[in-house]
């Protein structure tokens, strides 16, 4: 099997990752990993079908942090450095005051217009205190990543929760909205559409359906000027992060793709299996942690997460 490696497509990619150290496998033995987030000097990530949140440090390796995560998926940090988590089982977005304590949660959103959410997938915090998340049906359309149920909302929306707790539907025309991130100046929002993968019970990829990243202009809770930023292949974009200079790092079937500000592919972190998500972390905020099928990898980079630079932390 081909080993993990880096692929430079455009010289812009030079120096972004430490090519002398290929992607390093740091955790294995899960079923499907997502939601990497660096918090309190350790990496947290979810093993969704096993309903558990894991934690990892260089010394101790991977251990179970929460034995019942209720099929939690995407994680990110809020403005205070606490973990925001998308919970398929509870069909809600929560804040974890203590990631080791399943009871230490605040509910950010569980309904829109009186109807239960589908299964929040990924979440991001804006520096104005709003919290943005996507709500595809992957946690209700099979029993692999949640509890089968009908959608009460009847669509797969992107939502914004303003600091007063109001849940706004900000985009309603996605097939299956997934990862999302703001540009470094927060004036644009990038949202992945992974519609080409219907869910865990529907194997395969239908390339006639969306497998792209859209970008919007942001004004308050209003999104405008929607355009397709990049079509991602092979596979679909799931999670994505944007670095301090506006380069977009997205998951794909073959690892992580790095896209320039105009959407061109400039390099890849090639991994041998479908990849779901990534984050920047470590003591310097420049280590990339990548969840990829049943595994987690790390890559030393020279990049930092735009969102964390803006908030003055890793
Ligand atoms: Mg996702």
């Amino acid at each position: 099997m081909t080993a993990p490696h880096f692929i430079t497509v455009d010289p812009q990619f030079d120096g972004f990752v430490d090519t002398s150290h290929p992607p390093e496998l740091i955790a294995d033995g899960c079923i499907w990993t997502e939601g990497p987030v660096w918090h309190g000097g350790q990496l947290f990530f979810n093993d969704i079908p096993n309903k558990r949140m894991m934690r990892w440090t260089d010394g101790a390796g991977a251990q179970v942090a929460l034995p019942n995560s209720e099929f939690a998926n995407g994680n990110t940090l809020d403005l205070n450095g606490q973990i925001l988590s998308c919970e398929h089982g509870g069909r809600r977005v929560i804040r974890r005051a203590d990631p080791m304590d399943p009871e230490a949660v605040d509910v950010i959103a569980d309904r829109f217009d009186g109807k239960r959410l589908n299964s929040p997938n990924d979440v991001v915090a804006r520096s104005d205190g709003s919290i943005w998340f996507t709500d595809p049906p992957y946690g209700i359309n099979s029993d692999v990543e949640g509890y089968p149920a009908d959608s009460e909302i009847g669509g797969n929306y992107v939502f914004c929760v303003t600091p007063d707790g109001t849940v706004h539907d900000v985009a309603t025309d996605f097939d299956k909205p997934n990862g999302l991130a703001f540009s470094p100046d927060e004036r644009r929002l990038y949202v992945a559409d992974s519609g080409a993968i219907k869910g865990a019970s529907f194997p395969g990829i239908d390339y006639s359906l969306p497998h792209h990243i859209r970008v919007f202009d942001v004004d308050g809770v209003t999104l405008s000027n929607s355009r397709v930023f990049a079509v991602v292949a092979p596979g679909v974009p799931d999670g994505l992060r944007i670095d301090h200079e506006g380069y977009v790092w997205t998951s794909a079937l073959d690892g992580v793709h790095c896209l320039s500000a105009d959407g061109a592919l400039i390099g890849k972190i090639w991994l041998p299996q479908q990849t779901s998500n990534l984050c920047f972390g470590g003591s310097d905020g420049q280590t990339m942690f990548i969840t990829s099928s049943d595994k987690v990898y790390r890559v030393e980079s020279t990049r930092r997460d735009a969102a964390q630079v803006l908030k003055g932390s890793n």
Side-chain angles (χ1 to χ4, degrees), residues 34 73 121-122 178-179 238-239 276-277:
E34 294 243 22
N73 188 334
N121 188 289
D122 218 339
N178 205 315
D238 186 337
S276 63
N277 240 306

Side-chain angles (χ1 to χ4, degrees), residues 3-312:
H5 60 281
F6 303 107
I7 298 172
T8 297
V9 177
D10 182 286
Q12 288 180 78
F13 192 65
D14 291 344
F16 280 13
V17 293
D18 180 358
T19 53
S20 67
H21 294 91
E24 178 190 0
L25 178 66
I26 61 168
D28 202 349
C30 297
I31 296 177
W32 181 257
T33 59
E34 294 243 22
V37 64
W38 185 261
H39 170 83
Q42 52 192 332
L43 179 74
F44 289 86
F45 61 96
N46 290 314
D47 180 9
I48 302 179
N50 277 323
K51 282 176 79 172
R52 59 185 186 174
M53 179 186 255
M54 309 294 291
R55 63 191 176 109
W56 173 94
T57 61
D58 220 350
Q63 309 169 67
V64 175
L66 273 183
N68 183 1
S69 64
E70 278 297 342
F71 299 105
N73 188 334
N75 293 314
T76 196
L77 297 180
D78 72 5
L79 300 183
N80 297 314
Q82 293 190 312
I83 294 178
L84 298 172
S85 189
C86 293
E87 204 183 69
H88 283 182
R91 299 171 69 171
R92 60 187 189 171
V93 178
I94 57 175
R95 177 184 287 110
R96 297 190 188 279
D98 176 357
M100 306 288 287
D101 180 355
E103 305 298 322
V105 299
D106 297 318
V107 178
I108 303 297
D110 61 358
R111 290 177 183 267
F112 169 69
D113 199 20
K115 304 180 181 79
R116 294 189 75 186
L117 301 173
N118 296 329
S119 49
N121 188 289
D122 218 339
V123 58
V124 65
R126 197 163 186 255
S127 60
D128 62 2
S130 56
I131 294 169
W132 300 62
F133 67 96
T134 55
D135 190 39
Y138 294 121
I140 57 172
N141 67 8
S142 85
D143 62 0
V144 177
E145 295 196 347
Y147 305 112
D150 293 330
S151 172
E152 296 186 12
I153 293 172
N156 305 318
Y157 298 171
V158 182
F159 292 106
C160 167
V161 186
T162 41
D164 65 0
T166 306
V167 181
H168 307 261
D169 56 336
V170 295
T172 60
D173 63 346
F174 275 80
D175 187 333
K176 294 186 176 58
N178 205 315
L180 71 175
F182 288 100
S183 60
D185 63 7
E186 296 187 322
R187 292 180 181 173
R188 280 166 288 135
L189 177 68
Y190 296 76
V191 185
D193 195 330
S194 59
I197 289 182
K198 294 179 182 176
S201 295
F202 308 95
I205 299 170
D206 181 350
Y207 284 106
S208 70
L209 296 172
H211 49 104
H212 57 230
I213 298 169
R214 285 164 64 184
V215 61
F216 301 84
D217 297 335
V218 183
D219 182 8
V221 297
T222 302
L223 300 180
S224 62
N225 194 21
S226 169
R227 60 269 192 203
V228 172
F229 169 72
V231 175
V232 174
V236 300
D238 186 337
L240 58 96
R241 288 288 185 268
I242 296 177
D243 73 26
H244 60 292
E245 291 185 317
Y247 289 89
V248 176
W249 299 77
T250 178
S251 65
L253 182 66
D254 59 348
V256 171
H257 295 187
C258 182
L259 310 173
S260 65
D262 60 2
L265 176 68
I266 63 166
K268 289 185 182 184
I269 300 168
W270 189 91
L271 301 173
Q273 65 275 317
Q274 189 172 329
T275 297
S276 63
N277 240 306
L278 69 141
C279 75
F280 292 90
S283 57
D284 61 0
Q286 298 184 167
T287 302
M288 294 180 64
F289 294 96
I290 304 167
T291 51
S292 182
S293 291
D294 55 339
K295 300 176 172 57
V296 181
Y297 294 86
R298 74 171 160 185
V299 167
E300 297 305 327
S301 85
T302 57
R303 319 307 294 172
R304 299 186 68 191
D305 188 326
Q308 297 314 313
V309 170
L310 197 64
K311 291 161 195 160

